[in-house]
Amino acid sequence: MKIGYFIGPAGSGKSHMTGSLYSWMNQLEMEVITVNLDPAVIRLPYSPMIDIREYVSYDEIVDKFELGPNGAIIAAMDQVALRVDEVIDELREFDSEFVLIDLPGQLETFAYRASGPLLLNELGREHKMAGVFLVDPILCNTASSFVSVLMLGSSIKYRLNTALRFVISKGDTISEERMAAIDDWMEYPDFLLEALRTEPGVLNADLAIRIADILIQEETYGSFPVISSQTNENIDLAFGELQRIWDTEDLFS
Ligand SMILES: Nc1nc2c(ncn2[C@@H]2O[C@H](COP(=O)(O)OP(=O)(O)O)[C@@H](O)[C@H]2O)c(=O)[nH]1
Ligand SMILES: [Mg+2]
């Protein structure tokens, strides 16, 4: 199986992209299933074939342990870690050529607790894994926030020990002017460094520039395609980014 997963900050559009890419692949008659790994999600824009909510009940956790939302999410993700083998068994039964996994809204509870690395490691033993990191356009408004997202993606990549390609989500919400600036940053990294240099009030700008310089030279981040799950514009490029990793032997290239 070729497994693709979507990761990114809460609200960056993972669930919608899972749904849109699933529909696109389905239309092309690819053999594909979807997996929801968010125990706390209430409504999804697609119908997952495997759903972690059948294993872990967020509401029960809230009631039983009298936890607030953050504590309950952490407890739920720890329970997900305990059920990983069952999810993997269910996946095995489907034996689909492609699997799309929608990761939990709260990226940090997946990546920085036990369940995320455990799950991806286990799946990676038997299957080809590829990750797409979603960058919300609100983080492309300034050079410093864009660099902060590169740093977050790098941290996730090393924490999960996996290859990731970056895409910008919610493309339909980006103005033409902003789009032109983002294109320039991608095509000419010096533009991004210059934007950092001239942006007012960047904390420790020299350090930010040095970090950005290293990160943007790492071609592994890809070309940052801009994708909309609402209009489906460039949704094929989400598949392309996954395919690029599936086709590569070295996970970190
Ligand atoms: N305009 C627009 N809104 C989007 C798009 N993708 C997601 N959203 C909205 O962004 C919010 C969060 O999306 P969701 O997929 O739930 O994010 P997740 O937390 O990363 O799974 C929802 O209100 C979506 O309707 C998109 O391509 N265009
Ligand atoms: Mg979601």
Side-chain angles (χ1 to χ4, degrees), residues 11 13-16 36 38 41 43-46 102-105:
K14 300 176 289 292
S15 298
H16 282 74
N36 166 48
D38 189 344
V41 72
R43 199 173 306 144
L44 285 169
Y46 61 95
D102 178 16
L103 294 183

Side-chain angles (χ1 to χ4, degrees), residues 206-232:
D206 285 345
L207 179 63
I209 289 167
R210 272 188 287 151
I211 292 173
D213 200 18
I214 292 170
L215 293 180
I216 55 187
Q217 280 178 35
E218 267 240 22
E219 289 187 5
T220 58
Y221 292 99
S223 49
F224 286 74
V226 178
I227 299 172
S228 169
S229 306
Q230 188 144 300
T231 64
N232 273 345

Side-chain angles (χ1 to χ4, degrees), residues 115-163:
S115 55
L118 193 76
L119 184 95
L120 295 185
N121 268 335
E122 285 301 312
L123 287 173
R125 279 185 219 281
E126 293 179 31
H127 311 291
K128 289 201 153 200
M129 305 292 292
V132 161
F133 185 95
L134 274 68
V135 176
D136 195 305
I138 52 169
L139 293 172
C140 301
N141 283 338
T142 60
S144 59
S145 49
F146 187 68
V147 171
S148 79
V149 123
L150 285 182
M151 289 162 72
L152 177 65
S154 296
S155 169
I156 296 292
K157 183 168 157 172
Y158 287 97
R159 165 69 182 151
L160 298 177
N161 200 29
T162 183

Side-chain angles (χ1 to χ4, degrees), residues 59-77:
D59 290 338
E60 248 175 62
I61 289 170
V62 171
D63 287 346
K64 191 167 158 196
F65 302 110
E66 294 181 6
L67 291 168
N70 288 335
I73 295 262
I74 289 172
M77 287 315 294

Side-chain angles (χ1 to χ4, degrees), residues 160-171:
L160 298 177
N161 200 29
T162 183
L164 286 179
R165 308 270 307 177
F166 284 49
V167 304
I168 297 172
S169 59
K170 308 184 193 177

